Amino acid sequence: MAAGLQMSEFKTFAICCALLLTGSVTLTAGEHIYCKSPDGKFALRETFNELNPIHGDSAIIESGTRKVAVQLHGDEPAGSEKLVWSKDSRRVASFRYDWQNGATKIFFRDGAIFEEIKMPELPSPQLPDLPKPDGSNNETIKRVEPVRWLESGDLLLESELQNKAGARAALQITMGFEQGNQPMIRKSEKEKMSVLDYFLLLPPDTFEGPAYTWLNVMRANGELIDKENGYMSCPGDGAQPEFELALFRYRDGRPLLALCAGELEGTDSVQLQFFELGADGHMQQISRPILPGAHIKNDPGRGYVKEGWQFSLPRKGRTIVVRSEKAKKILHKFTWNGEKFQEEK
């Protein structure tokens, strides 16, 4: 085992490598081109090492000639990379995520020339002080990711701190540019706690490995993390079934997190569990009845499980749908009203 890696971290590194090798952008020896500019003239190119195909370099290139316009990094372990272009293709932010940290570079374009704009010092989020679950630590993971270019020409960034105890904090930062493309911070706003925060606060034994490792997998593999609508999904692996989460809220703002998972090497979406925020700041499984009706029980350990039933969580809306496993016929619909689930007739 590599020096300094705990078993769970070593396993996660292997998972990430496997996902990279089988993801939508396949990492094999050779080159891959994507993230084209809106005018089609430039793109992101990754070139992978023939001897070690999870190593490579990346650059912004001219689409037609393949000429390198900007070398982003040299031969390094593969990570998750993207470009965020402005609509006029004259500004671009590059982002690289390497399983631990994520960093942004900003470039302004004049013809075929890209000038890098030095990032100013950004305000830092303040992590909440949470009790550490057994076996966790407070090692900090930092990520600064470009979200989008605004019509004003400003760049919206997300600055995030996270630790392996489950604590997370993030700021939405609006960066403007003065004469000579000098950057300045126009606005910094604290993000409200979202489905992502509550996911990280789930009990340590919820998944095969800590929750933060699966967040790394989701981000690296381009899986769905919809904070606005309160929904996440993850593909899992050979030891962890795929799962999805949906956030519901009580009228007073308290969170109710639903987790739907499948069987290992079996049927998807057959187990439904609910969690709420405990006094210690971490999520706790709910054993009391949540779904109405006597036709199904909430098991204190497993949640809701019934042979032949499959659950579907909403990405949008407040309705959980139950279908028959074989016929896919809708059996039940449970809609959240801000206080409880009600069955639709």
Side-chain angles (χ1 to χ4, degrees):
M1 183 179 299
L5 284 180
Q6 300 297 319
M7 178 61 74
S8 61
E9 294 173 319
F10 185 79
K11 176 179 180 294
T12 301
F13 178 77
I15 291 169
C16 292
C17 290
L19 284 171
L20 278 168
L21 288 165
T22 58
S24 56
V25 179
T26 305
L27 298 193
T28 55
E31 68 174 18
H32 302 276
I33 297 174
Y34 55 105
C35 287
K36 282 191 175 182
S37 59
D39 64 8
K41 294 182 179 180
F42 296 89
L44 175 64
R45 183 186 70 189
E46 292 184 280
T47 305
F48 297 98
N49 189 315
E50 292 186 6
L51 297 177
N52 189 354
I54 62 168
H55 273 241
D57 61 26
S58 69
I60 299 174
I61 63 166
E62 295 181 0
S63 299
T65 66
R66 303 291 180 91
K67 180 181 177 181
V68 173
V70 180
Q71 189 72 45
L72 296 175
H73 71 81
D75 188 15
E76 297 179 13
S80 174
E81 302 206 26
K82 70 175 182 179
L83 299 178
V84 177
W85 292 93
S86 63
K87 288 183 179 180
D88 62 6
S89 301
R90 296 186 63 184
R91 294 154 292 165
V92 62
S94 72
F95 174 70
R96 174 175 169 79
Y97 183 66
D98 64 1
W99 321 124
Q100 291 293 321
N101 297 291
T104 291
K105 294 181 180 179
I106 302 170
F107 300 91
F108 277 57
R109 171 189 158 203
D110 183 7
I113 305 300
F114 286 79
E115 177 191 1
E116 183 173 359
I117 306 301
K118 185 178 179 181
M119 289 276 286
E121 185 175 349
L122 300 179
S124 181
Q126 298 298 309
L127 282 173
D129 186 16
L130 294 175
K132 294 190 300 180
D134 292 341
S136 66
N137 61 60
N138 279 323
E139 181 183 341
T140 301
I141 299 168
K142 185 175 183 180
R143 183 179 63 91
V144 177
E145 181 171 356
V147 179
R148 63 180 180 275
W149 290 92
L150 306 177
E151 293 292 339
S152 63
D154 293 348
L155 176 62
L156 183 62
L157 296 158
E158 182 181 58
S159 177
E160 176 191 75
L161 284 181
Q162 176 194 328
N163 67 23
K164 296 181 180 181
R168 175 186 178 271
L171 298 173
Q172 290 280 336
I173 297 173
T174 303
M175 183 183 298
F177 300 90
E178 297 183 320
Q179 280 190 337
N181 296 327
Q182 290 300 309
M184 60 173 293
I185 306 301
R186 296 200 193 280
K187 186 168 59 174
S188 176
E189 295 180 316
K190 183 180 178 180
E191 282 188 6
K192 295 180 180 178
M193 288 189 72
S194 69
V195 62
L196 195 160
D197 297 279
Y198 299 123
F199 162 69
L200 291 171
L201 293 171
L202 286 169
D205 59 354
T206 304
F207 306 104
E208 181 67 23
Y212 72 83
T213 64
W214 294 106
L215 177 58
N216 288 342
V217 170
M218 283 184 258
R219 283 176 168 164
N221 208 40
E223 293 299 318
L224 187 58
I225 302 173
D226 186 347
K227 291 187 293 184
E228 183 177 348
N229 289 302
Y231 180 85
M232 298 172 65
S233 66
C234 184
D237 75 336
Q240 169 64 52
E242 67 177 46
F243 60 87
E244 60 176 348
L245 302 107
L247 176 63
F248 303 90
R249 287 193 184 273
Y250 289 92
R251 292 193 178 103
D252 63 6
R254 287 178 296 127
L256 176 68
L257 187 65
L259 167 64
C260 183
E263 297 174 328
L264 193 61
E265 300 181 358
T267 308
D268 297 332
S269 307
V270 296
Q271 181 185 41
L272 179 63
Q273 298 171 284
F274 291 93
F275 299 83
E276 61 188 355
L277 200 59
D280 65 352
H282 291 273
M283 301 300 284
Q284 300 175 349
Q285 187 179 352
I286 300 172
S287 58
R288 67 179 184 274
I290 296 293
L291 299 180
H295 37 261
I296 186 170
K297 303 293 184 182
N298 189 8
D299 183 275
R302 301 178 65 204
Y304 286 98
V305 179
K306 187 168 183 177
E307 187 175 355
W309 280 24
Q310 285 185 294
F311 302 93
S312 178
L313 298 181
R315 178 178 176 185
K316 296 182 179 180
R318 298 182 172 187
T319 300
I320 295 174
V321 176
V322 181
R323 290 183 172 86
S324 61
E325 180 183 332
K326 293 183 178 180
K328 306 304 179 186
K329 177 183 177 182
I330 294 178
L331 304 176
H332 302 278
K333 290 184 177 181
F334 300 106
T335 299
W336 180 250
N337 67 6
E339 291 298 330
K340 60 182 180 180
F341 283 99
Q342 294 179 320
E343 183 167 6
E344 296 184 14
K345 302 300 183 183

